Amino acid sequence: MAVENYFVPSGREIRIAISGKSGCGNTTVSSLLAERLGVKLINFTFRQLAAEKGMTLAQVIDNAKTDDSYDIAVDTRQVELAREQSCVLGSRLAIWMLKEADLKVYLWADDDVRANRILTREGGDLEEIKAFTRMRDSEDSRRYMKLYGIDNSSYDFVDLVVDTTKHLPDEIVELILQKALEKGLVEKK
């Protein structure tokens, strides 16, 4: 199958926001999409914040339970970066926080698929990963509601919802590009 070439028309900026829970393919899909369009990828998360602070991801998540500055730092930084130029913003809250996004996409996968993907990516024990992921999802939802009034289980306003259990990452990118083409955000060469 030949890959069709899409591009952002000259003089136009585009901002695509992609969200989904851990293990849904946000990072993979966002990276591939940004590469296909030749725009900047913005994917600043707790994982990057943990690396910057010399902490583990679990430590950052635990600290964020009682210290809102972790969420606010990540969320503010990524939105500021996204407003600077054409980009793909891949984050848990991208579709809610980047209100001016030209295209909003939600990636979905069931909990078992997500846990298995995390296991493949990071290794470990599947049952521990499932428990950690449930805890993380719960903590994320609690914090998003507390900080921003965002219910991250409500995404019916997006332009496209993709069940990532039914498509490979390249197919998901193609679905997103087709939606962008329909909306007149990109053109084909």
Side-chain angles (χ1 to χ4, degrees):
M1 175 176 119
V3 174
E4 296 189 66
N5 292 319
Y6 294 84
F7 66 96
V8 179
S10 180
R12 164 125 176 128
E13 288 192 349
I14 184 174
R15 286 167 186 80
I16 299 176
I18 301 178
S19 293
K21 294 180 179 178
S22 179
C24 283
N26 283 349
T27 303
T28 300
V29 169
S30 296
S31 299
L32 290 170
L33 181 61
E35 185 179 314
R36 285 278 304 272
L37 286 174
V39 299
K40 183 172 179 72
L41 168 67
I42 298 170
N43 186 359
F44 189 82
T45 65
F46 271 1
R47 193 175 304 281
Q48 284 80 24
L49 186 65
E52 280 185 7
K53 291 182 171 287
M55 300 168 70
T56 67
L57 176 59
Q59 287 171 319
V60 168
I61 291 169
D62 193 49
N63 288 354
K65 290 178 187 178
T66 56
D67 185 348
D68 295 342
S69 71
Y70 288 87
D71 280 288
I72 293 167
V74 167
D75 300 333
T76 302
R77 187 123 141 243
Q78 64 191 5
V79 170
E80 287 171 353
L81 291 168
R83 288 181 173 148
E84 291 176 1
Q85 61 189 302
S86 287
C87 66
V88 174
L89 172 59
S91 81
R92 302 272 190 288
L93 290 180
I95 61 174
W96 292 277
M97 297 293 285
L98 190 62
K99 296 188 185 321
E100 65 269 31
D102 300 294
L103 181 64
K104 295 179 181 182
V105 179
Y106 189 81
L107 303 180
W108 181 91
D110 73 45
D111 293 347
D112 287 337
V113 169
R114 292 171 47 224
N116 278 298
R117 288 176 178 168
I118 294 167
L119 175 67
T120 300
R121 179 178 72 209
E122 299 173 12
D125 176 78
L126 183 59
E127 291 309 312
E128 287 178 14
I129 290 169
K130 285 181 180 181
F132 179 79
T133 302
R134 276 192 301 276
M135 177 278 299
R136 185 177 184 186
D137 289 347
S138 175
E139 282 303 312
D140 286 350
S141 294
R142 182 193 63 76
R143 284 192 329 276
Y144 302 156
M145 182 56 74
K146 175 184 162 204
L147 289 174
Y148 308 113
I150 290 172
D151 175 359
N152 70 328
S153 66
S154 176
Y155 47 84
D156 58 344
F157 59 90
V158 300
D159 300 293
L160 181 65
V161 176
V162 181
D163 179 346
T164 66
T165 62
K166 296 180 179 180
H167 303 281
L168 295 171
D170 285 329
E171 294 170 336
I172 296 167
V173 168
E174 198 60 38
L175 291 171
I176 295 168
L177 288 168
Q178 282 296 319
K179 182 57 83 171
L181 185 66
E182 286 172 24
K183 289 187 71 161
L185 303 171
V186 298
E187 295 177 4
K188 278 193 210 178
K189 288 183 183 174

